[in-house]
Amino acid sequence: MKDFRFAIFGAGFWARVQLAAWREVGGAECVAIYNRSRERAEAFARDLGIPAVYDDPAKLLREVQPDFVDNITEVGGHKPLSLLCARHRIPCICQKPMAASVADARAMVAAFARARTPFFVHENWRWQSPMRALIDTLRSGEIGTPFRARFTMISGFDVWANQPALRELKQFILTDLGVHLLDTARACFGEAHAVCCQTHRTLRPGVKGENVATLLLAMGPARTSVVIEMAYAKTPVERECFPQTLAFVEGPLGSIEVTSGFGLRVTTNKGTRHWSARPPRFAWADPRYDLSQASMVPCIRDLLGALRGEGPAETTGADNLKTMELTYAAYASAAKSAVVRLKHRR
Ligand code: 89Y
């Protein structure tokens, strides 16, 4: 099968790892890079062996005509650069969070639909090995339809060291981490009917946005009560699990626990079975981010399969629009101290 020729937009922390993940998967070769700082793009291209460097994205698209673009810029670049791809009818994978507002996300999805061009979001949390094991166990029906679930991601890890731009976001933890947890919750329990959210800003002025959030959602046909707790508050915690999400799910036939150290524990009236969903270790991954960076591999595989026409991807732009609606509904709830209902949902 012919390898795809693709271009990356962006030359930051995640672009470097994502390129390594593409190489791990194979079947697609990065032939060009765009970054608004040419100097940064050149250094990146030199280090990673990318033949062509551009500081003008439209010129890149015209001259290189890549089979697709992987847009790994910061959120400010997501809308303009994705829309540029749509105008050139070049399929695009956009980094999460897709957009800085629901209106922007809708405009992006609509532009690709009009151009009849594939559009995806690189959303890898649902591909983390323990989260996938949770999704698969729920879909097997072993514990029945869950009535309640809890996702917890409370970490003292210094996420700003590698990603200083996160300090400047006026909307921080829900757009950075919340999108991941909400997307995974959608994969586990179905679409949200209502959300109630409270946030805190405990690290001002160094970190501008909210860095603590607690959500209660009603999700899916059974209106499963889903509680999501997240914090990057530099709180000393005895067991640091970054970047793992811990979970506890209750159903009529049993419960599932995702424990620190990638453990899965499923308890039914037959007893408890447990196993480890440890992710593979890739030499190119930063050991502190192993779980999350390893999950880029199955995420990319899924997107590549869709680009090849082998089947639909899980994280299309249209699907991720529901994650965006939910994320910004959570902000609206926090702003109003009120429950926000989501319309037109399954
Ligand atoms: O940016 C975030 C992501 O996508 O995964 C973890 C992270 O690096 C910090 O929250």
Side-chain angles (χ1 to χ4, degrees), residues 9 18 22 68-83 85 90-100 104-105 108-109 112 118-124 299 303 315-317 320 324:
F9 287 179
Q18 201 141 307
W22 276 107
F68 67 89
V69 165
D70 195 356
N71 179 5
I72 324 172
T73 55
E74 299 293 345
V75 66
H78 292 182
K79 183 184 177 195
L81 293 169
S82 298
L83 291 181
C85 293
I90 293 182
C92 173
I93 301 168
C94 179
Q95 188 63 19
K96 55 60 67 173
M98 188 205 309
D104 283 357
M108 290 157 77
V109 171
F112 280 93
F119 179 49
F120 307 100
V121 174
H122 183 102
E123 173 46 78
N124 56 317
C299 177
L303 301 175
T315 58
T316 57
N320 196 263
M324 290 286 93

Side-chain angles (χ1 to χ4, degrees), residues 124-125 127-129 290-300:
N124 56 317
W125 220 257
W127 293 103
Q128 289 187 0
S129 44
D290 253 355
L291 177 64
S292 146
Q293 296 184 353
S295 70
M296 292 174 160
V297 170
C299 177
I300 285 173

Side-chain angles (χ1 to χ4, degrees), residues 255-324:
S255 60
I256 311 172
E257 195 175 357
V258 179
T259 64
S260 63
F262 323 113
L264 262 289
R265 304 183 72 80
V266 180
T267 303
T268 62
N269 58 11
K270 294 195 193 101
T272 298
R273 66 194 174 84
H274 59 94
W275 70 98
S276 168
R278 179 175 286 281
R281 162 104 267 282
F282 295 111
W284 45 262
D286 178 333
R288 293 165 306 168
Y289 291 78
D290 253 355
L291 177 64
S292 146
Q293 296 184 353
S295 70
M296 292 174 160
V297 170
C299 177
I300 285 173
R301 249 188 220 122
D302 184 58
L303 301 175
L304 194 60
L307 283 162
R308 284 193 181 122
E310 289 167 5
E314 290 197 18
T315 58
T316 57
D319 183 85
N320 196 263
L321 184 52
K322 295 177 196 161
T323 297
M324 290 286 93

Side-chain angles (χ1 to χ4, degrees), residues 149-154 174 177-178 180-186 189 196-198 213-217 219 225-230 245 326:
R150 186 173 68 238
F151 281 1
T152 304
M153 171 104 197
I154 296 170
L174 286 167
L177 178 67
H180 283 317
L181 300 193
L182 288 168
D183 187 74
T184 306
R186 289 183 47 239
F189 310 111
C196 178
C197 175
Q198 190 178 16
T214 311
L215 297 87
L216 171 62
L217 303 116
M219 299 188 87
S225 307
V226 181
V227 176
I228 303 183
E229 309 166 296
M230 58 191 116
T245 306
L326 193 44

Side-chain angles (χ1 to χ4, degrees), residues 14 96 125 159 163 166 176-177 180 232 242 289 292:
W14 285 109
K96 55 60 67 173
W125 220 257
V159 289
Q163 298 170 267
L166 297 179
D176 173 61
L177 178 67
H180 283 317
Y232 287 146
F242 179 86
Y289 291 78
S292 146

